[in-house]
């Protein structure tokens, strides 16, 4: 199963990287066509529905978990009923929430300091986004047959294909003069295409998928699982996005644009770990129980060691290219204003990379109630910290607040995963990893002190990377893992 998880993660990673690569080309056009202020409003329109991402009652995750269990048991009819039950619950709850967004759109827009020149477009765009909001929930439910079978290749092609179409179309629509409303309309159209793709492919994998019956016996356990997840998600979504909303309301939409550009690049740190989650949740769900404990522990520890292997080089690379990249990509204004927020974000995201595995283990164990308690306990102190730092130090303060919370959250996740899911981080490789952290972050510290990336700093970083690879092979990865990586590489090259 380890091989399936890795393959699935690579497919999901490819599905994230391909749209990101297209976005890196398209976004500068979007920024220049809308301007910094307009771009901030556009980001805000997508952010407002994101605050209500819990409105499916956790059914996207419940569908994956219970659908994967049914698939593991070989009960295809139960799997289909689970998916339909999740979709029914999500629609019953999400449609009224979307209607409320549309009805109270003027009041919502007024809360976020949207400039007068953009209020009319923002109002229409938010109402369109409320429709997309519901469709996206259904996409995350009807892809369950693909996830349960670890067919991340199919899931990736559907998701990435629709996203890429949307990313390409948005600057074209803006160039033709349709503004923010046109851009949001493109997102709605691509969401519809995405849902159609999932319905067609998932029905081929699970012929019983489309029907009218639901599984009444699964409603209660799914609501218990999803209900606790919703309680957790309300706090988690606020924790993930509070700094953006506070930044827009206490500083300006332009400050939000600077921060969002920094966060977009920094979030590349989580691409692989985030990609593993879609494969790990069904895999971990099928490995619950003492007879399969050894296999679960093996996948968990290997995931952490592979995260150690790639995370440091990616952090260093992103830090070194940040300022020149922002300057060339979005303009000198963003090169000046987005670089330091980016550095602060990297500190938190570095720890967040590792937290994905204990988080997934807790979810697969069905202990969403633990996450709910954790996020609500974090919320109060975090809101105080982010308001204090963002209102005084702008985007850099918001980034620092986000990273402080993320580092603490990662440590707690590891503790909880050991307590409730029985998995613990491997001690193997920890010493080598610490040595690597000191070795590879030193040129980054020098670059930040100088305020620019010099040739000397780049050469220093390259030399540190070579040494780190040697350390990783000797002290972090096991012999079996090195042999597995070598065999996979040789197999791919041989093809």
């Amino acid at each position: 199963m380890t091989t399936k998880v890795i393959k699935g993660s690579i497919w999901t990673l490819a599905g994230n990287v391909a749209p990101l690569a297209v976005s890196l080309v398209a976004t500068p056009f979007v920024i220049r066509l809308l301007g910094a202020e307009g771009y901030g409003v556009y980001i805000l329109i997508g952010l407002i529905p994101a605050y209500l991402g819990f409105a499916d009652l956790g059914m996207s995750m419940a569908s994956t978990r219970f659908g994967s269990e049914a698939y593991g048991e070989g009960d295809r009819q139960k799997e289909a009923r689970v998916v339909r039950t999740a979709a029914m619950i999500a629609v019953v709850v999400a449609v009224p929430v979307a209607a409320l967004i549309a009805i109270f759109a003027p009041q919502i827009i007024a809360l976020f300091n949207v400039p007068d020149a953009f209020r009319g477009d923002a109002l229409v765009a938010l109402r369109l986004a409320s429709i997309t909001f519901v469709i996206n929930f259904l996409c995350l439910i009807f892809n369950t047959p693909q996830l349960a079978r670890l067919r991340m290749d199919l899931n990736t092609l559907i998701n990435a294909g629709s996203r890429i179409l949307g990313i390409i179309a948005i600057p074209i629509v803006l160039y033709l003069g349709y503004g923010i409303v046109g851009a949001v309309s493109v997102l709605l159209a691509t969401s519809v295409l995405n849902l159609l793709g999932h319905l067609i492919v998932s029905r081929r994998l699970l012929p019983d998928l489309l029907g009218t019956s639901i599984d009444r016996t699964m409603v209660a356990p799914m609501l218990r699982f999803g209900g606790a997840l919703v309680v957790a998600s309300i706090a988690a979504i606020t924790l993930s996005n509070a700094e953006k909303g506070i930044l827009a309301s206490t500083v300006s939409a332009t400050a939000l644009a600077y921060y969002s550009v920094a966060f977009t690049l920094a979030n590349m740190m989580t691409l692989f770990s985030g990609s593993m989650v879609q494969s790990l949740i069904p895999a971990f769900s099928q490995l619950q129980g003492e007879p399969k404990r050894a296999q679960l522990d093996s996948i968990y520890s290997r995931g952490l060691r592979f995260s150690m292997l790639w995370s440091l080089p990616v952090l260093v690379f992103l830090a070194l290219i940040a300022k020149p990249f922002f300057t060339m990509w979005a303009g000198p204004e963003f090169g000046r204003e987005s670089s330091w927020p980016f550095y602060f974000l990297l500190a938190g995201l570095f720890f967040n990379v590792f937290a994905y595995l204990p988080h997934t283990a807790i979810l697969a164990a069905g202990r969403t109630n633990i996450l709910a308690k954790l996020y609500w306990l974090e919320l109060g102190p975090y809101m105080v910290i982010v308001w204090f730092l963002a209102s005084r130090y702008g985007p850099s303060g918001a980034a620092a607040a986000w990273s402080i919370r993320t580092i603490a959250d990662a440590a707690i996740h590891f503790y909880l995963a050991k307590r409730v899911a029985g998995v613990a981080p491997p001690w193997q490789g920890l010493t080598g990893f610490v040595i690597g952290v000191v070795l590879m972050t030193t040129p980054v510290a020098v670059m930040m002190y100088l305020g620019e990336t010099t040739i000397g700093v780049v050469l220093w970083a390259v030399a540190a990377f070579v040494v780190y690879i040697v350390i990783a092979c000797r002290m972090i990865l096991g012999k079996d893992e090195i042999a597995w990586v070598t065999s996979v590489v040789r197999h791919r090259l041989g093809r």
Side-chain angles (χ1 to χ4, degrees), residues 77 79-85 87-88 142 199 203 206-215:
Q77 291 186 347
E79 181 187 359
R81 291 195 302 272
V82 164
V83 176
R84 291 196 298 268
T85 304
M88 181 272 294
F142 282 107
L199 286 171
R203 189 173 183 275
L206 183 62
D208 297 323
L209 177 65
L210 301 181
T212 57
S213 64
I214 63 170
D215 193 333

Side-chain angles (χ1 to χ4, degrees), residues 357-371:
L357 278 111
H359 177 80
T360 306
I362 295 168
L363 285 176
R367 297 302 304 274
T368 50
N369 61 317
I370 296 289
L371 297 177

Side-chain angles (χ1 to χ4, degrees), residues 35-225:
E37 193 172 51
Y39 183 68
V41 174
Y42 171 66
I43 294 296
L44 187 63
I45 294 301
L47 179 63
I48 291 170
Y51 279 120
L52 300 170
F54 55 85
D56 69 337
L57 279 187
M59 288 303 106
S60 56
M61 192 71 69
S63 179
T64 300
R65 184 182 187 276
F66 292 103
S68 296
E69 284 186 347
Y71 173 73
E73 295 166 0
D75 192 338
R76 303 297 185 268
Q77 291 186 347
K78 181 181 178 181
E79 181 187 359
R81 291 195 302 272
V82 164
V83 176
R84 291 196 298 268
T85 304
M88 181 272 294
I89 295 172
V91 168
V92 167
V93 179
V95 169
V97 173
L100 289 173
I101 294 175
I103 292 168
F104 292 102
Q107 290 81 4
I108 295 171
I109 291 298
L111 285 175
F112 287 94
N113 201 22
V114 174
D116 292 338
F118 290 97
R119 289 204 174 190
D121 283 353
L123 181 64
V124 177
L126 182 57
R127 286 171 172 160
L128 290 171
S130 68
I131 303 172
T132 307
F133 169 76
V134 177
I135 296 171
N136 286 341
F137 284 144
L138 294 176
C139 292
L140 294 172
I141 292 171
F142 282 107
N143 70 348
T144 295
Q146 301 158 44
L147 301 183
R149 291 155 181 77
L150 295 178
R151 290 302 307 269
M152 303 306 170
D153 51 343
L154 300 175
N155 186 57
T156 293
L157 291 172
I158 296 167
N159 290 335
S162 60
R163 285 176 62 192
I164 289 171
L165 283 174
I167 292 167
I168 293 172
I170 285 173
I172 296 173
V173 167
L174 291 175
Y175 179 76
L176 294 174
Y178 292 100
I180 293 173
V181 174
V184 175
S185 297
V186 167
L187 296 178
L188 172 58
T190 55
S191 291
V192 172
L193 287 175
N194 186 270
L195 177 58
L196 290 174
H198 283 304
L199 286 171
I200 293 169
V201 171
S202 291
R203 189 173 183 275
R204 288 182 177 273
L205 295 174
L206 183 62
D208 297 323
L209 177 65
L210 301 181
T212 57
S213 64
I214 63 170
D215 193 333
R216 297 179 184 276
T217 64
M218 290 301 301
V219 172
M222 290 177 75
L223 284 175
R224 281 195 298 271
F225 178 88

Side-chain angles (χ1 to χ4, degrees), residues 451-471:
E452 60 179 341
T453 303
T454 64
I455 295 297
V457 168
V458 172
L459 293 175
W460 188 352
V462 170
F465 172 71
V466 173
V467 175
Y468 177 66
I469 292 300
V470 175
I471 292 173

Side-chain angles (χ1 to χ4, degrees), residues 127-351:
R127 286 171 172 160
L128 290 171
S130 68
I131 303 172
T132 307
F133 169 76
V134 177
I135 296 171
N136 286 341
F137 284 144
L138 294 176
C139 292
L140 294 172
I141 292 171
F142 282 107
N143 70 348
T144 295
Q146 301 158 44
L147 301 183
R149 291 155 181 77
L150 295 178
R151 290 302 307 269
M152 303 306 170
D153 51 343
L154 300 175
N155 186 57
T156 293
L157 291 172
I158 296 167
N159 290 335
S162 60
R163 285 176 62 192
I164 289 171
L165 283 174
I167 292 167
I168 293 172
I170 285 173
I172 296 173
V173 167
L174 291 175
Y175 179 76
L176 294 174
Y178 292 100
I180 293 173
V181 174
V184 175
S185 297
V186 167
L187 296 178
L188 172 58
T190 55
S191 291
V192 172
L193 287 175
N194 186 270
L195 177 58
L196 290 174
H198 283 304
L199 286 171
I200 293 169
V201 171
S202 291
R203 189 173 183 275
R204 288 182 177 273
L205 295 174
L206 183 62
D208 297 323
L209 177 65
L210 301 181
T212 57
S213 64
I214 63 170
D215 193 333
R216 297 179 184 276
T217 64
M218 290 301 301
V219 172
M222 290 177 75
L223 284 175
R224 281 195 298 271
F225 178 88
L229 191 61
V230 165
V231 175
S233 296
I234 293 172
I237 290 168
T238 306
L239 287 168
S240 299
N241 297 290
E243 80 285 1
K244 302 180 184 75
I246 290 173
L247 195 58
S249 60
T250 61
V251 185
S252 67
T254 304
L256 175 61
Y258 296 145
Y259 179 84
S260 297
V261 165
F263 195 90
T264 297
L265 183 62
N267 206 42
M268 289 179 63
M269 277 290 297
T270 66
L271 280 178
F272 186 71
S273 294
S275 300
M276 285 197 298
V277 169
Q278 278 198 323
S279 298
L280 286 173
I281 288 178
F284 282 1
S285 296
Q286 294 174 38
L287 295 176
Q288 296 300 305
E290 202 57 40
K292 300 178 180 178
R293 171 64 57 185
Q295 194 173 4
L296 175 62
D297 289 341
S298 174
I299 295 175
Y300 183 80
S301 60
R302 283 183 174 181
L304 287 172
R305 284 196 291 273
F306 280 119
S307 294
M308 290 180 189
L309 180 66
W310 67 260
S311 58
L312 264 179
V314 172
L315 180 145
V316 171
F317 174 75
L318 291 177
L320 293 179
I321 69 166
K323 189 171 183 178
F325 174 79
F326 289 140
T327 301
M328 291 186 294
W329 185 62
E333 182 182 3
F334 285 85
R336 183 178 64 253
E337 300 294 339
S338 296
S339 296
W340 275 100
F342 177 80
Y343 300 143
F344 284 117
L345 287 168
L346 279 185
L349 285 165
F350 176 63
F351 289 88

